[in-house]
Amino acid sequence: MQYEWGPNIEQETETNTLAAQTYNKIRQDIISGSLEPGSKLQSEKLKKQYDVGSSPLREALTQLAANGLVTSEGQKGFRVVDVSLKELRDITKLRMHLEVHGFKESIAHGDVEWEVAVTSAYRRLVHAIEELSSGKSGSARSWEDIHRGFHLSLVQGCGSPWLISFCHRLYEHFERYRRIYVEYREISPKILEEHEALHQAAINRDADLAEKLLSEHILFAARLTEADARKKGIQDGGEIIAAAEQEMELIK
Amino acid sequence: MQYEWGPNIEQETETNTLAAQTYNKIRQDIISGSLEPGSKLQSEKLKKQYDVGSSPLREALTQLAANGLVTSEGQKGFRVVDVSLKELRDITKLRMHLEVHGFKESIAHGDVEWEVAVTSAYRRLVHAIEELSSGKSGSARSWEDIHRGFHLSLVQGCGSPWLISFCHRLYEHFERYRRIYVEYREISPKILEEHEALHQAAINRDADLAEKLLSEHILFAARLTEADARKKGIQDGGEIIAAAEQEMELIK
DNA sequence: ATCAAGTATAATTTGGATATTTTTATATTT
DNA sequence: AAATATAAAAATATCCAAATTATACTTGAT
């Protein structure tokens, strides 16, 4: 969150403290699902696994806890935060609300720098899709990073560092659900089309279209995730109706 | 953030770990302004001041950094996060956006428990005002806690733990600006009236009125804070127009 | 089966070791 | 002589490993 130099991408700088490196590694492992939801994070095991001492590890876990990827109870250590359909829906609704708001603000107030950033992110996305479909997977950044980069670029121009940081956090948690539950599919032409449309809406500054496209895009991803999560037997939060779908009605 | 037991007040449980206690103390001191914005947080001094060792202190600071009250740069330690009019406006806009949204959601979906909670929070507020104006200040909870309790109760029924947690964080940061800059005034009858109106709107489930009242309430507080901040020479973020005021136009 | 005491395990904290940054002093160049 | 560059010293952030304290488990008695 910085105001002097304008809105920025949340620091991904390779901070060299052990604690920061460990934070990134564990974060990756939680989002990718290799550290399972609800599982206990025992310090001794983690110290061996990530080859660090107590202090950096503890610092990493504390940070993760503050970001909501880990829970920390009293004197009982840390756990990977649990998952539920209820929370998936909550995250989805709020993502729709905030990202759409941020996107429209970007469209209203974003400067040329923002347009350039969106286009760059879009080009990287296209490039990554081409590489993936042609087999060679050797891109520097991962598909996940590039995809996140595009979505966050849309709100990057809104002028509100706070809103941007909230969108980051929500995206991160949403991504965890997707990576845990959605089984890999070929990247369909539909994906490319949707992102192209979003890019166009941004460049054309078409706020209404932007709202419609982004809402649908997020909701579609959420539906897919929820469907696959059900198959794999995620615990239901106890509700029947996907509240996010109601929200959609308002848009149509 | 918990889904099993429904929306809840962010844990204020007296966790007994030293780190948690230290976190609370430093947090208080930052919000109250006794630890000045931008000032360096030197570990040796803090260790003496709060009478703790390195690890709990570091843990507290790490947590504060993740919550945005503290910045931590590379190997250069921690600082109290700086203030600017630009950020005050950002927080204000987003608070208006999110708290109003949460309040309306509470009105739409909140159950009886929520109504009870709002009324309780309101009664505590009235009681506190009476005590303050009659001189005896011996209430258990501080005025700040009670006031925060009331405002957060309004969004408590919205059914979205994520939205609630965002409102918490924004309120916390907004409160810091207020406590640092707004010079103490008698609690005017206006304050009591405004909160009574908010309470009534909640109980009557009047969403439109709720939106109007809460927007105005937040904006009024922001104006007051900004005015006093200018007097005391806060650094301006470089903008001239209070963007939040535009938002108000939409409501009228 | 339930409870209590004792043991084992694991989280938290302490205090000090290591590595980095900042400051100060000295030397070199313009 | 002033300014810049280099090197030593001080300050301070980060990290580790041992000591402490709290929780979880086991065992034996009621």
Side-chain angles (χ1 to χ4, degrees):
Chain A
M1 220 104 53
Q2 41 201 82
Y3 287 82
E4 282 72 18
W5 317 287
N8 75 323
I9 299 174
E10 211 150 81
Q11 73 217 35
E12 269 190 66
T13 48
E14 265 293 332
T15 323
N16 286 329
T17 78
L18 248 185
Q21 289 172 281
T22 309
Y23 168 85
N24 284 323
K25 284 181 194 163
I26 299 180
R27 174 180 164 281
Q28 287 296 338
D29 289 345
I30 292 176
I31 291 175
S32 75
S34 66
L35 284 172
E36 286 180 23
S39 64
K40 190 138 185 21
L41 293 165
Q42 291 176 124
S43 52
E44 284 305 319
K45 287 183 187 172
L46 293 183
K47 273 159 69 173
K48 280 177 206 158
Q49 186 166 353
Y50 295 97
D51 192 35
V52 288
S54 336
S55 303
L57 174 64
R58 215 173 155 56
E59 190 171 327
L61 291 174
T62 302
Q63 233 178 304
L64 286 162
N67 288 329
L69 285 169
V70 152
T71 57
S72 87
E73 199 189 343
Q75 222 101 320
K76 298 171 192 169
F78 300 87
R79 298 184 157 274
V80 178
V81 73
D82 220 333
V83 290
S84 71
L85 283 187
K86 212 166 181 175
E87 192 196 24
L88 174 57
R89 292 186 194 121
D90 185 12
I91 292 170
T92 301
K93 276 179 73 171
L94 211 49
R95 242 195 103 192
M96 286 170 72
H97 193 80
L98 291 186
E99 275 187 40
V100 167
H101 178 63
F103 193 9
K104 289 174 85 175
E105 288 284 300
S106 289
I107 285 172
H109 308 299
D111 56 13
V112 186
E113 281 308 305
W114 171 65
E115 282 190 27
V116 172
V118 172
T119 303
S120 304
Y122 173 64
R123 292 228 186 292
R124 271 194 284 276
L125 196 81
V126 173
H127 185 73
I129 290 177
E130 281 168 359
E131 268 194 349
L132 283 172
S133 57
S134 73
K136 48 183 173 180
S137 61
S139 191
R141 289 205 232 175
S142 71
W143 162 255
E144 275 82 12
D145 285 346
I146 289 168
H147 187 244
R148 181 175 60 241
F150 176 74
H151 275 278
L152 293 177
S153 79
L154 299 180
V155 299
Q156 232 34 264
C158 72
S160 166
W162 273 93
L163 179 54
I164 292 169
S165 85
F166 286 162
C167 287
H168 273 240
R169 277 194 49 194
L170 286 171
Y171 185 94
E172 185 171 57
H173 280 256
F174 188 87
E175 192 186 351
R176 181 171 76 118
Y177 279 87
R178 193 160 44 75
R179 303 238 333 240
I180 290 173
Y181 291 110
V182 178
E183 48 207 67
Y184 178 74
R185 291 175 172 80
E186 289 287 309
I187 292 175
S188 65
K190 189 170 178 297
I191 300 289
L192 183 55
E193 281 165 29
E194 282 188 26
H195 288 92
E196 195 199 331
L198 283 167
H199 173 238
Q200 272 305 319
I203 300 306
N204 297 338
R205 308 258 172 179
D206 187 336
D208 292 337
L209 181 61
E211 171 162 6
K212 183 175 175 298
L213 291 174
L214 188 54
S215 296
E216 280 173 357
H217 185 78
I218 294 170
L219 189 54
F220 179 75
R223 284 226 188 86
L224 201 68
T225 307
E226 181 162 342
D228 284 7
R230 279 181 192 284
K231 277 189 221 161
K232 298 196 184 175
I234 187 179
Q235 81 192 59
D236 196 307
E239 296 211 348
I240 298 147
I241 294 163
E245 302 195 13
Q246 298 178 345
E247 195 126 317
M248 267 312 284
E249 297 308 316
L250 300 174
I251 291 152
K252 280 173 186 166
Chain B
M1 220 108 53
Q2 39 202 86
Y3 288 83
E4 281 72 17
W5 316 286
N8 75 321
I9 297 174
E10 212 149 81
Q11 69 214 39
E12 268 191 69
T13 48
E14 265 293 332
T15 324
N16 285 328
T17 77
L18 244 187
Q21 290 171 278
T22 308
Y23 168 85
N24 284 324
K25 284 180 194 161
I26 299 180
R27 176 181 162 280
Q28 288 295 338
D29 290 344
I30 291 176
I31 291 175
S32 75
S34 66
L35 285 172
E36 287 182 19
S39 65
K40 192 139 183 27
L41 293 164
Q42 292 177 124
S43 52
E44 283 306 318
K45 287 183 186 169
L46 294 182
K47 274 159 69 172
K48 280 177 205 157
Q49 186 165 353
Y50 296 98
D51 192 35
V52 287
S54 333
S55 300
L57 173 64
R58 208 155 167 51
E59 190 170 329
L61 291 174
T62 302
Q63 233 178 305
L64 287 162
N67 288 329
L69 285 169
V70 152
T71 58
S72 87
E73 199 189 343
Q75 220 100 307
K76 300 173 192 169
F78 299 88
R79 299 183 158 273
V80 179
V81 73
D82 220 333
V83 290
S84 72
L85 283 188
K86 212 166 181 177
E87 193 196 24
L88 174 57
R89 291 184 196 125
D90 185 12
I91 292 169
T92 301
K93 275 180 74 172
L94 211 49
R95 242 195 103 191
M96 287 170 71
H97 193 80
L98 291 186
E99 273 187 40
V100 167
H101 178 63
F103 193 10
K104 289 174 84 175
E105 287 283 301
S106 289
I107 285 173
H109 308 300
D111 55 12
V112 186
E113 280 308 306
W114 172 65
E115 281 188 29
V116 172
V118 172
T119 303
S120 305
Y122 173 64
R123 291 229 185 291
R124 270 194 286 274
L125 196 81
V126 173
H127 185 71
I129 289 177
E130 281 168 359
E131 268 196 347
L132 282 172
S133 57
S134 74
K136 51 183 172 180
S137 61
S139 190
R141 288 205 234 177
S142 71
W143 162 254
E144 274 84 12
D145 285 345
I146 289 168
H147 187 243
R148 182 175 61 241
F150 175 75
H151 275 278
L152 294 177
S153 79
L154 299 180
V155 300
Q156 233 32 266
C158 72
S160 166
W162 273 93
L163 179 54
I164 292 168
S165 84
F166 287 162
C167 288
H168 273 240
R169 278 196 45 199
L170 286 171
Y171 185 94
E172 187 172 57
H173 280 257
F174 189 88
E175 192 186 349
R176 182 171 76 118
Y177 279 87
R178 193 162 43 74
R179 303 242 325 245
I180 290 173
Y181 292 110
V182 178
E183 49 208 64
Y184 179 74
R185 293 175 170 80
E186 288 287 310
I187 292 176
S188 64
K190 188 170 180 296
I191 300 289
L192 183 56
E193 281 165 28
E194 282 188 26
H195 288 92
E196 195 198 333
L198 283 167
H199 173 238
Q200 272 306 319
I203 300 306
N204 297 337
R205 308 256 173 179
D206 187 337
D208 292 337
L209 181 60
E211 172 162 6
K212 183 175 176 297
L213 291 174
L214 188 53
S215 295
E216 279 172 358
H217 185 77
I218 293 171
L219 190 55
F220 179 75
R223 284 227 187 86
L224 200 68
T225 307
E226 181 162 341
D228 284 6
R230 278 180 192 284
K231 275 188 222 160
K232 298 196 185 176
I234 186 179
Q235 83 193 60
D236 195 308
E239 296 212 347
I240 298 145
I241 294 162
E245 301 195 13
Q246 297 177 347
E247 196 125 315
M248 267 312 284
E249 297 307 315
L250 300 174
I251 291 151
K252 280 174 186 163

